[in-house]
Amino acid sequence: MSDSSVAISIRDVVKRYAPVRGKGSKAGQGGEGKLALGGVSFDVPQGQIFGLLGPNGAGKSTLINIMAGLVMKTSGTVEIWGHDIDRDMRNAKASIGIVPQEIVFDPFFTPFEVLENQAGLWGVPKALRRSEELLKAVHLADKRNAYSRSLSGGMKRRLLIAKAMVHSPPILVLDEPTAGVDVELRRQLWELVSELNHQGVTVVLTTHYLEEAEELCDRIAIINHGQLITNRPTRELVGMTREKILRLSLDRDLADLPSHPAFVKCRKIGEREIEITYDKDHATAGEVLGQVQAQGFVIVDVSTQEPDLEDVFVQLTSDREAA
């Protein structure tokens, strides 16, 4: 590899889909076609869980399909584990396992047969296949000989992860792996992903469950309208939000709410309780409290609400929309 610390290197990747022709074409579909990715560049460090986030239609799935070799990029370069996908597609594909959103395997095969068939497609010799080991790893050893169609939704998701790992790729990409599963199954899937990461597998995941991304990911990139908005360590990203919230209990019922230019929002949440959202770039918590007291209120109690990834995500994508 050119850089042994990088699992995936993406440089200036552009994807423009061909324009739709014909009488049934909708407005905006002709001309130059749809620009799905407009010059995206970032690296995925080895050994990390890397989050790739963005609204629906932002370009995440297009980028994943380019990495998987399912979609041809218009321009730019992509290296998977040091292998350029244009010059060395075979080794690039062998270095990555993709877990799609859809459940994709023959429902009439058993989990063992699903893994054996997939290993055969990858050309893994029988003596080197890990089907039994993978079934144990995803906690499906007791379902070895059951028809796959009889598995629960969470079991099918775990089988997809095992299927993506049959050729022992160093990189695992999960595209919305917990979509439509309940809380308990989601927790089991993330425990499995964390286990694989601890064993040295680099994980790239897309998810709309931002609290999961905040808890699991070492680093997060956000894409919107085909452009990379940010790419930072998770803790640093969460600290980017400008807004903070104070909840105050006051000494009397509220007739009028306190106001100040530094307050982004002030709302009543009880007879004597208010919630103030303020811009931390323009005021401190002490200044907010001082303004409330200066307007004749006595503060009985105060609590703070720390920003989370959802706050940052909404702020960044909203800023982009406004621009």
Side-chain angles (χ1 to χ4, degrees):
M1 290 183 67
S2 55
D3 185 343
S4 60
S5 66
V6 174
I8 300 173
S9 177
I10 293 169
R11 289 290 175 272
D12 302 317
V13 170
V14 173
K15 174 58 184 178
R16 185 181 292 277
Y17 288 99
V20 177
R21 306 293 185 186
K23 293 181 180 179
S25 300
K26 297 180 181 179
Q29 287 187 324
E32 296 182 345
K34 176 179 173 55
L35 182 65
L37 295 171
V40 173
S41 298
F42 62 85
D43 290 334
V44 176
Q46 279 191 29
Q48 291 193 1
I49 300 181
F50 185 93
L52 184 61
L53 308 183
N56 287 329
K60 305 184 301 296
S61 292
T62 296
L63 191 54
I64 288 173
N65 287 332
I66 288 171
M67 289 190 282
L70 299 175
V71 168
M72 298 297 292
K73 57 185 169 52
T74 304
S75 62
T77 60
V78 176
E79 289 187 0
I80 308 292
W81 212 249
H83 306 291
D84 187 287
I85 63 170
D86 294 324
R87 298 194 301 267
D88 193 6
M89 176 60 82
R90 183 182 182 89
N91 283 318
K93 282 187 173 183
S95 299
I96 197 167
I98 306 288
V99 180
Q101 295 183 39
E102 301 81 14
I103 304 295
V104 185
F105 48 73
D106 192 317
F108 294 97
F109 286 165
T110 67
F112 180 78
E113 290 169 339
V114 167
L115 299 188
E116 285 290 295
N117 288 340
Q118 186 71 8
L121 291 173
W122 276 106
V124 181
K126 282 198 172 184
L128 299 178
R129 293 180 188 175
R130 305 164 53 226
S131 301
E132 301 283 7
E133 175 189 337
L134 287 169
L135 288 174
K136 289 179 182 177
V138 299
H139 310 294
L140 288 176
D142 59 332
K143 300 292 183 181
R144 179 189 190 279
N145 297 317
Y147 282 125
S148 296
R149 68 175 183 272
S150 70
L151 301 180
S152 68
M155 291 177 181
K156 289 175 180 176
R157 293 282 180 186
R158 297 204 301 270
L159 181 56
L160 281 181
I161 293 176
K163 183 182 173 187
M165 296 298 294
V166 296
H167 58 298
S168 303
I171 302 168
L172 181 65
V173 177
L174 302 108
D175 190 6
E176 298 287 348
T178 56
V181 304
D182 64 32
V183 174
E184 178 61 21
L185 294 177
R186 194 176 302 144
R187 184 187 61 79
Q188 293 174 9
L189 284 170
W190 290 137
E191 286 179 355
L192 173 58
V193 169
S194 295
E195 276 181 40
L196 291 170
N197 180 245
H198 289 151
Q199 294 167 15
V201 177
T202 300
V203 177
V204 178
L205 77 92
T206 72
T207 179
H208 286 296
Y209 299 105
L210 299 182
E211 70 280 4
E212 292 177 345
E214 182 175 348
E215 180 179 346
L216 286 166
C217 295
D218 302 295
R219 191 176 188 93
I220 290 173
I222 297 178
I223 293 179
N224 196 20
H225 298 302
Q227 302 288 335
L228 181 71
I229 299 175
T230 188
N231 174 19
R232 296 170 181 260
T234 304
R235 291 298 101 206
E236 183 180 317
L237 185 61
V238 171
M240 283 178 59
T241 184
R242 297 190 301 265
E243 295 181 358
K244 297 192 74 171
I245 295 174
L246 286 176
R247 289 194 173 96
L248 308 179
S249 295
L250 306 177
D251 64 326
R252 64 179 187 272
D253 292 350
L254 292 154
D256 298 307
L257 293 173
S259 62
H260 189 269
F263 297 176
V264 175
K265 181 170 60 179
C266 181
R267 67 186 186 96
K268 187 176 179 180
I269 57 175
E271 288 302 317
R272 298 186 176 187
E273 294 180 311
I274 59 173
E275 183 179 88
I276 297 176
T277 303
Y278 66 98
D279 189 328
K280 68 181 183 181
D281 292 341
H282 295 96
T284 65
E287 290 169 341
V288 172
L289 298 176
Q291 289 298 328
V292 173
Q293 291 170 323
Q295 295 179 43
F297 296 98
V298 175
I299 298 171
V300 177
D301 193 17
V302 60
S303 63
T304 62
Q305 179 178 317
E306 291 301 315
D308 58 19
L309 182 60
E310 183 173 348
D311 297 321
V312 180
F313 181 86
V314 170
Q315 178 182 306
L316 289 174
T317 54
S318 297
D319 288 349
R320 187 74 184 179
E321 290 282 359

